[in-house]
Amino acid sequence: MMTTSPPLLALDIGGTSMRAALIQNGQITERREARTPKPSTPDALIAAATELAAPLAAHAIALGVACAGAVAGGRVTATAVHTFPGWTDVALAERLSVGLGLPCAALNDARAAAWGEWAAGAGRGTPEFMFITVSTGVGAGLVLGGRLHLAGNGLDAELGFVSVPAAWQPGEEVPPLGRLGPLEFESSGTALGGQAQLLGFADARALCDAAEVGNLQAEAVYTRSAALMAWKIADIAALLGVTRVALGGSVGLRPGYLTRVQASLALFPARYQPKVVHAELGADAGLIGAALWAGRG
């Protein structure tokens, strides 16, 4: 006979919106959503998140929070200070726990999504697993030996900030190893959007659409983004033995992006080619992962 787990409460805090949900047996049973207050100072955001989640809190036994930024020991420091001003070592988990009367655990949003995908999505049954979101930025989370990788300084899997060759213009002085930049500045949706405008496309989506119907200029940009991502995936496989990677986010979930990453990864030795698939939980991965993390006992 299947047992029913107690309900868990989850909060997913983003720069544009906040979502709260009750989750039971890995499934969302009730949800609420609100705009993130502007400016998103700690006091304003925590008050708004508490108000959003309060109607659901009485039904839950624990609270899990997914939020952007560096998260360590339940404390948050913003990496996008223009989006979250004043967020330096903020005791988010403690303050939400007091406000909602529940034990609380907080994770970076990409790490929460990684845990959700590993526990209930594309990473099930894979001891060494990585989730990568390719959207406005590039975020990631690692599960190693069946345990979510969490570092004391909050730099748990910052794939978006590993170095890759940067795009450069003719005539620009280039160092001996080439000019390097963060992967996020070359392969994210924001990066594709910038390249799209230089080529006369409206945005990243229009560029990707054009590439997928045969536009050669768009294809070159799209393929470069996917090739850089494949290179870093191969590096992770070599370093950590990751055998499965799930791609999420608005760019990462495009079938054309997945096939281009897979094609570039196929150029590496077989032992450095983890299986790359699409994430399964979509936008709910962070909510589900945060809840399951808080309720893991």
Side-chain angles (χ1 to χ4, degrees):
M1 183 173 63
M2 187 178 78
T3 59
T4 300
S5 62
L8 300 163
L9 176 60
L11 269 167
D12 190 347
I13 299 172
T16 302
S17 65
M18 302 182 299
R19 297 180 300 146
L22 277 178
I23 294 166
Q24 192 165 24
N25 294 329
Q27 301 291 321
I28 293 177
T29 60
E30 189 173 351
R31 68 171 78 220
R32 305 183 79 223
E33 185 168 353
R35 301 287 291 181
T36 303
K38 300 295 181 186
S40 301
T41 60
D43 288 348
L45 193 150
I46 291 170
T50 301
E51 181 181 0
L52 176 68
L56 306 178
H59 306 288
I61 64 164
L63 166 66
V65 182
C67 65
V71 184
R75 306 180 75 89
V76 180
T77 296
T79 51
V81 294
H82 61 286
T83 303
F84 294 103
W87 283 78
T88 302
D89 198 33
V90 175
L92 179 65
E94 179 183 346
R95 292 179 63 176
L96 286 173
S97 178
V98 170
L100 292 167
L102 292 170
C104 178
L107 291 172
N108 166 272
D109 51 3
R111 266 57 109 195
W115 189 249
E117 287 289 343
W118 179 80
R124 289 188 302 269
T126 307
E128 276 68 47
F129 169 73
M130 190 171 202
F131 166 80
I132 303 171
T133 177
V134 188
S135 188
T136 304
V138 174
L142 278 165
V143 176
L144 301 173
R147 300 177 64 180
L148 184 64
H149 174 59
L150 296 175
N153 64 358
L155 298 176
D156 314 307
E158 290 292 355
L159 188 69
F161 293 96
V162 301
S163 295
V164 296
W168 57 281
Q169 301 299 320
E172 180 181 6
E173 184 177 349
V174 181
L177 294 179
R179 186 162 66 85
L180 301 178
L183 177 65
E184 182 169 289
F185 289 11
E186 303 296 322
S187 292
S188 65
T190 301
L192 287 171
Q195 292 291 315
Q197 292 183 4
L198 290 175
L199 293 175
F201 297 101
D203 52 24
R205 178 180 293 180
L207 181 142
C208 296
D209 288 343
E212 290 170 8
V213 295
N215 183 287
L216 296 181
Q217 285 185 305
E219 179 62 45
V221 173
Y222 197 23
T223 297
R224 180 176 184 273
S225 168
L228 292 174
M229 186 63 64
W231 175 19
K232 295 298 110 176
I233 289 172
D235 283 352
I236 293 295
L239 286 168
L240 300 174
V242 167
T243 58
R244 180 179 289 257
V245 174
L247 297 180
S250 57
V251 176
L253 286 172
R254 291 185 69 105
Y257 191 77
L258 176 63
T259 59
R260 285 162 177 78
V261 170
Q262 291 170 332
S264 292
L265 193 60
L267 301 176
F268 290 85
R271 67 186 304 185
Y272 307 135
Q273 296 178 33
K275 184 176 180 62
V276 182
V277 299
H278 273 149
E280 294 179 3
L281 301 182
D284 290 332
L287 280 170
I288 293 171
L292 295 177
W293 182 252
R296 70 195 186 284

